[in-house]
């Protein structure tokens, strides 16, 4: 099931053609969810940007966040090319209000199910932009263009973890990175001594980390407090570059840099 989106789209459109895009990612997800409920034979959803999209803020728990609605089937988000030759963008822009009133200038996008981004541009503006894997499973596929790598982060783990969640509720984290330049992969810190995920799998190739690389720890890693309460499986393929000068890693992940 393919749905087309653009900031210039309309909620009155059906999203089923390039000429009738809907205006938001969550509107597209609702169309896909409704279609899969009506026809269980649909096993894959696809959202295609035919213009830039600026996701709406749905909460301000940590900076400004957009929570994508849940989806049960794998979802691919991709983009067509504009007249300027650039892929259309997902724009995560920190508001002027947040910059004025809050030191935590983060603009985040929390995925709602297993998600692949490919052939798309990420444009983080006015602060840090974060894609949250949220224990759903995330693939940063081929053709990812990043406008400002130093401000672009991928966060792994359950962003909504708290002291009441069991391991079954937390789930496992899975991420593949096959293109693009980012500041780092960062694990969500634990909350009140709780882990934020079960097992962790990271596969990376043909990508660059310009900041601290892969942050496989909590802020208190020196005390041995890790956020992964299970197995850690990390596979680095060809052409993975770490160009930052301050790469924080606990002993458990030192082999990443050998």
């Amino acid at each position: 099931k393919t749905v087309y989106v653009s900031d210039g789209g309309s909620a009155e459109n059906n999203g089923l053609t390039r000429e009738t895009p809907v205006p938001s990612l969550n509107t597209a997800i609702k169309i896909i969810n409704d279609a899969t409920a009506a026809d269980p034979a649909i096993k894959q959803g696809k959202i295609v940007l035919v213009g830039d999209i600026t996701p709406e803020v749905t909460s301000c728990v940590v900076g400004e966040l957009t929570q994508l609605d849940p989806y049960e089937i794998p979802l691919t988000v991709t983009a067509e090319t504009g007249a300027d030759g650039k892929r259309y963008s997902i724009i995560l822009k920190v508001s002027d209000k947040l910059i004025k009133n809050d030191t935590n200038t983060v603009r985040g996008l929390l995925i709602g199910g297993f998600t692949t981004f490919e052939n798309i541009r990420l444009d983080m503006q006015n602060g840090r932009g974060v894609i949250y894997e949220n224990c759903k499973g995330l693939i940063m596929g081929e053709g990812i263009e990043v406008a400002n790598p130093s401000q672009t982060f991928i966060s792994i783990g359950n962003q909504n973890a708290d002291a009441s969640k069991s391991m079954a509720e937390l789930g496992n984290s899975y991420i593949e990175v096959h293109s693009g330049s980012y500041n780092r992969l960062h694990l969500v810190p634990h909350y009140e001594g709780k882990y934020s995920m079960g097992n962790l799998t990271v596969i990376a190739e043909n990508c660059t980390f310009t900041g601290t690389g892969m942050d496989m720890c909590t802020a208190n890693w020196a005390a041995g407090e890790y956020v992964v309460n299970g197995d850690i499986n990390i596979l680095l393929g060809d052409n993975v570059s770490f160009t930052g000068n301050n790469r924080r890693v606990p002993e458990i992940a030192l082999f990443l840099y050998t």
Side-chain angles (χ1 to χ4, degrees):
K1 185 68 176 183
T2 299
V3 181
Y4 297 88
V5 301
S6 169
D7 277 344
S10 169
E12 304 300 318
N13 289 341
N14 61 19
L16 301 183
T17 70
R18 292 172 176 82
E19 293 73 31
T20 59
V22 293
S24 74
L25 296 175
N26 274 336
T27 303
I29 288 168
K30 183 179 187 305
I31 293 171
I32 291 170
N33 285 342
D34 289 347
T36 55
D39 183 2
I42 297 174
K43 301 298 183 183
Q44 176 77 43
K46 187 175 185 179
I47 294 176
V48 180
L49 274 62
V50 291
D52 292 340
I53 194 79
T54 308
E56 68 279 13
V57 175
T58 58
S59 70
C60 297
V61 177
V62 180
E64 295 171 325
L65 302 178
T66 296
Q67 172 70 68
L68 296 185
D69 292 334
Y71 35 96
E72 297 298 325
I73 63 173
L75 178 67
T76 297
V77 183
T78 187
E80 296 189 348
T81 302
D84 60 359
K86 295 181 180 179
R87 294 277 181 184
Y88 289 119
S89 301
I90 293 178
I91 299 172
L92 296 178
K93 183 177 181 179
V94 176
S95 71
D96 293 338
K97 179 180 179 180
L98 186 66
I99 292 173
K100 181 178 180 181
N101 298 320
D102 195 336
T103 57
N104 197 2
T105 52
V106 175
R107 183 68 177 85
L109 179 68
L110 284 76
I111 62 175
F114 194 98
T115 305
T116 299
F117 293 97
E118 63 182 17
N119 298 317
I120 198 168
R121 192 168 185 264
L122 303 177
D123 189 355
M124 314 309 191
Q125 300 180 7
N126 289 358
R128 291 175 290 165
V130 185
I131 306 294
Y132 290 96
E133 180 263 351
N134 213 25
C135 285
K136 304 296 185 183
L138 173 65
I139 298 177
M140 306 301 288
E142 303 293 336
I144 302 291
E145 302 173 17
V146 180
N148 37 9
S150 66
Q151 296 298 312
T152 305
F153 299 75
I154 301 173
S155 190
I156 314 167
N158 196 315
Q159 179 63 23
N160 298 315
D162 59 47
S164 67
K165 287 186 177 291
S166 67
M167 282 307 305
E169 291 174 307
L170 289 174
N172 301 318
S173 278
Y174 179 91
I175 183 166
E176 298 181 22
V177 183
H178 297 284
S179 65
S181 296
Y182 314 89
N183 185 295
R184 67 177 183 263
L185 293 178
H186 174 67
L187 270 65
V188 173
H190 65 62
Y191 291 74
E192 300 181 26
K194 286 283 186 176
Y195 296 97
S196 67
M197 72 192 75
N199 299 324
L200 168 67
T201 300
V202 176
I203 299 171
E205 64 175 355
N206 302 321
C207 56
T208 299
F209 299 99
T210 64
T212 54
M214 293 185 180
D215 224 344
M216 297 287 129
C217 54
T218 71
N220 194 23
W221 65 269
E225 296 181 352
Y226 302 108
V227 298
V228 181
N229 191 21
D231 295 332
I232 297 179
N233 300 291
I234 299 173
L235 175 62
L236 299 186
D238 294 334
N239 304 316
V240 179
S241 299
F242 299 93
T243 61
N245 296 320
N246 181 26
R247 297 179 295 195
R248 298 194 300 269
V249 290
E251 292 180 3
I252 198 168
L254 284 179
F255 69 90
L256 288 172
Y257 303 104
T258 61

